[in-house]
Amino acid sequence: MFSLLLTFAEVEEWKAAGPYALDRCIFCELEEKGISIVHMTPYLRAVFSQS
């Protein structure tokens, strides 16, 4: 199980940081918890190409 608590203000900051910034934040948190990406989909390539 994984949970990530964000305030509305934090979500707005991530959204303002650019396309997929919030998604990237979530995937980085998952990675810190030891959950790795197994298959790089077109969506995930887009998420990580924006960093």
Side-chain angles (χ1 to χ4, degrees):
M1 180 187 280
F2 171 80
S3 65
L4 176 63
L5 182 62
L6 296 169
T7 65
F8 182 76
E10 289 171 318
V11 169
E12 291 301 310
E13 282 182 45
W14 281 113
K15 286 170 47 179
Y20 302 111
L22 178 57
D23 305 63
R24 200 167 28 259
C25 166
I26 294 167
F27 281 108
C28 288
E29 287 289 327
L30 286 169
E31 191 171 49
E32 286 180 18
K33 301 291 183 190
I35 302 168
S36 60
I37 297 170
V38 176
H39 180 70
M40 190 61 78
T41 64
Y43 160 73
L44 289 172
R45 278 195 286 279
V47 168
F48 289 105
S49 70
Q50 300 291 320
S51 53

